[in-house]
Amino acid sequence: MKKHSGLAGPGAIASATPAPVHEFVLIDSDKAPQNWSIDSRQLGIETDTPFSVTLRTLHGGRQEGVSLIDIDTGAMQITLVPTRGMNVLRAVAGDVRLGWDSPVGEVVNPAFIELNGRGGLGWLEGFNELVTRCGYEWIGHPGVDKGELLTLHGRVSNIPASRVVLSIDERPPYTIRLRGELKEQAFKKVDFAIVTELSTEPGAQSFTLDDTLTNRGDYPREYQALYHNNFGTPLLEQGSRFVAPVRQVSPFNERARGELAEWQSYRGPTVDYDETVYNLIPYGDALGDSLAVLHNRAGDRGVAVGFNLGQLPVFSLWKNTDTERQGYVTGLEPGTSFSYNRRYQRPLGLVPTIGPKERRHFQLSFTLLADGQDVERALQRVEEIQAGRPTEVRETPLVDLGGE
């Protein structure tokens, strides 16, 4: 077995028992990250599509000190932000971008964000990623629950990773894995450890996320998770469609109720549109696997998001088809819960508990649909999961928000 512990870089690991994997510590809380890169040629890996991984640091403005990791599979460039909860900033394949154009142009360092600001909406000052983790102590709209102000969508997206490790298999298909460790902790409140892992392969136009939440404390704790997966142009446009196997759809609030008849279709950029949100309860296959698809008007480009109902049983569809400058975007968001404040979700049975030392897993897949055949195959898969079962269209919101 060939060893590569002598490679230059941030902490190449030499194992006492050599394993068929190249492994590098890119970020560790004991030292500042250094710009660094590795590619298939340096690793002595011969593939049809050469690949590379690069660590870099941003400077200037509110992005000062933010680390980015770029994974180039040879067919897709995926950018992660270890400084912001290991979120995925964007993924680009050819002329198709998975992501969106937020008014927040910089990748903001959490040190410059006050989550309690703007009445608990401070989270929005850094919001611009393709995949934004929400949780894990809570998610949802800001508001008071049990005497405590819960800010928008929790803290995890503004927690820098304590440690990031890159591993690349030495054998085909040469899987690339990026593993991050996050800590959500507060004295007397919560002691959560989150291990995130993004994996992909050379030549792939897809990636998967595999997150593990551990309650390291001695008492059971409530938790919530939601994956805010955000897409803009070129997939989002006038006439784009959202398709998923759905058991029930309901409006989030009275605003969404007025457009319930068109919940699966999208408008072009619309002045003063703001947003609408729909609560979905998806169907899954025999294993609980489900799939959500967004495709453009022509049906020749799209994205498929896979998830499991045993882990993420409900789904929020966010349609923010405001002007392009305001943020023209839609969110495909599987979760343990909807986007209501936590106090509204206990009666719905959507605030689960994790016991001492217990773990919860959340797995998602993201696949670019590069042409009409890819889109058609994804839609056929949705139809297979739906299996002719009906979709209930509930006219009223699940929660009475009163004056909120």
Side-chain angles (χ1 to χ4, degrees):
M1 189 67 64
K2 194 174 181 181
K3 291 185 179 180
H4 298 276
S5 58
L7 284 170
I13 298 173
S15 173
T17 304
V21 64
H22 307 275
E23 194 164 281
F24 309 92
V25 177
L26 303 189
I27 295 174
D28 193 287
S29 56
D30 291 337
K31 58 183 178 181
Q34 303 293 320
N35 290 352
W36 175 85
S37 65
I38 198 74
D39 60 37
S40 50
R41 179 187 58 81
Q42 292 172 287
L43 293 169
I45 293 176
E46 296 184 5
T47 66
D48 293 335
T49 50
F51 62 88
S52 64
V53 180
T54 302
L55 169 66
R56 55 195 172 101
T57 304
L58 301 180
H59 297 286
R62 300 209 305 164
Q63 64 186 10
E64 179 65 40
V66 170
S67 295
L68 297 184
I69 298 175
D70 300 305
I71 301 175
D72 188 342
T73 72
M76 174 178 276
Q77 296 79 47
I78 307 165
T79 300
L80 292 92
V81 194
T83 315
R84 293 184 51 81
M86 292 296 291
N87 289 339
V88 183
L89 181 63
R90 59 180 169 262
V92 179
D95 62 349
V96 180
R97 180 268 313 260
L98 303 184
W100 63 296
D101 297 314
S102 171
V104 181
E106 296 180 329
V107 185
V108 180
N109 193 316
F112 299 110
I113 293 177
E114 174 52 60
L115 294 179
N116 287 343
R118 302 179 182 272
L121 292 172
W123 183 89
L124 296 173
E125 295 188 5
F127 179 48
N128 63 5
E129 299 100 333
L130 162 61
V131 179
T132 306
R133 288 178 173 84
C134 301
Y136 285 93
E137 193 176 0
W138 71 80
I139 64 159
H141 286 197
V144 175
D145 178 40
K146 295 185 176 181
E148 180 181 9
L149 172 63
L150 305 186
T151 58
L152 179 64
H153 285 324
R155 297 192 182 96
V156 69
S157 280
N158 288 280
I159 297 176
S162 301
R163 182 177 173 87
V164 179
V165 176
L166 168 69
S167 66
I168 302 169
D169 289 353
E170 293 186 8
R171 297 172 181 168
Y174 306 113
T175 301
I176 304 163
R177 297 181 180 87
L178 196 66
R179 186 173 185 254
E181 299 176 12
L182 309 170
K183 298 176 182 177
E184 186 175 3
Q185 298 171 318
F187 177 59
K188 289 188 176 294
K189 295 293 186 179
V190 64
D191 188 0
F192 286 167
I194 303 100
V195 175
T196 74
E197 183 178 275
L198 181 146
S199 62
T200 188
E201 297 175 0
Q205 293 186 326
S206 62
F207 60 91
T208 62
L209 299 180
D210 190 340
D211 294 352
T212 301
L213 168 68
T214 302
N215 177 10
R216 304 199 310 179
D218 292 331
Y219 302 98
R221 297 293 182 192
E222 293 180 329
Y223 75 95
Q224 293 179 290
L226 181 142
Y227 288 80
H228 214 300
N229 308 313
N230 308 296
F231 305 93
T233 57
L235 302 185
L236 182 64
E237 60 182 350
Q238 172 75 40
S240 291
R241 297 278 296 174
F242 169 83
V243 185
V246 174
R247 180 162 65 89
Q248 182 190 85
V249 56
S250 62
F252 181 83
N253 54 18
E254 289 300 319
R255 166 74 175 84
R257 183 179 185 178
E259 297 179 17
L260 188 56
E262 53 186 275
W263 70 273
Q264 288 184 272
S265 61
Y266 289 92
R267 305 182 184 191
T270 304
V271 174
D272 292 330
Y273 182 83
D274 196 23
E275 65 179 10
T276 54
V277 180
Y278 297 95
N279 303 322
L280 310 182
I281 301 176
Y283 284 117
D285 64 13
L287 299 177
D289 292 331
S290 194
L291 190 70
V293 175
L294 171 72
H295 68 77
N296 65 354
R297 179 175 59 248
D300 59 5
R301 288 177 174 176
V303 63
V305 179
F307 56 100
N308 186 273
L309 301 185
Q311 304 167 351
L312 301 165
V314 298
F315 193 101
S316 298
L317 178 61
W318 176 55
K319 300 168 68 176
N320 193 94
T321 51
D322 211 316
T323 65
E324 292 185 10
R325 181 60 187 165
Q326 187 71 13
Y328 182 64
V329 60
T330 186
L332 280 55
E333 307 169 16
T336 63
S337 320
F338 295 123
S339 290
Y340 300 110
N341 184 273
R342 188 176 64 185
R343 73 179 185 273
Y344 292 119
Q345 304 213 58
R346 289 192 190 90
L348 300 177
L350 296 178
V351 184
T353 299
I354 181 170
K357 311 305 184 289
E358 285 187 346
R359 296 179 177 179
R360 298 290 185 269
H361 298 280
F362 311 107
Q363 297 159 314
L364 300 93
S365 64
F366 298 81
T367 303
L368 173 69
L369 309 176
D371 55 33
Q373 289 185 336
D374 284 349
V375 172
E376 184 58 32
R377 279 192 290 267
L379 295 180
Q380 288 176 357
R381 177 59 181 148
V382 169
E383 188 174 345
E384 290 172 2
I385 298 172
Q386 186 86 32
R389 293 175 287 186
T391 297
E392 175 194 356
V393 179
R394 177 187 167 112
E395 296 286 342
T396 56
L398 295 171
V399 169
D400 181 3
L401 295 173
E404 291 190 23

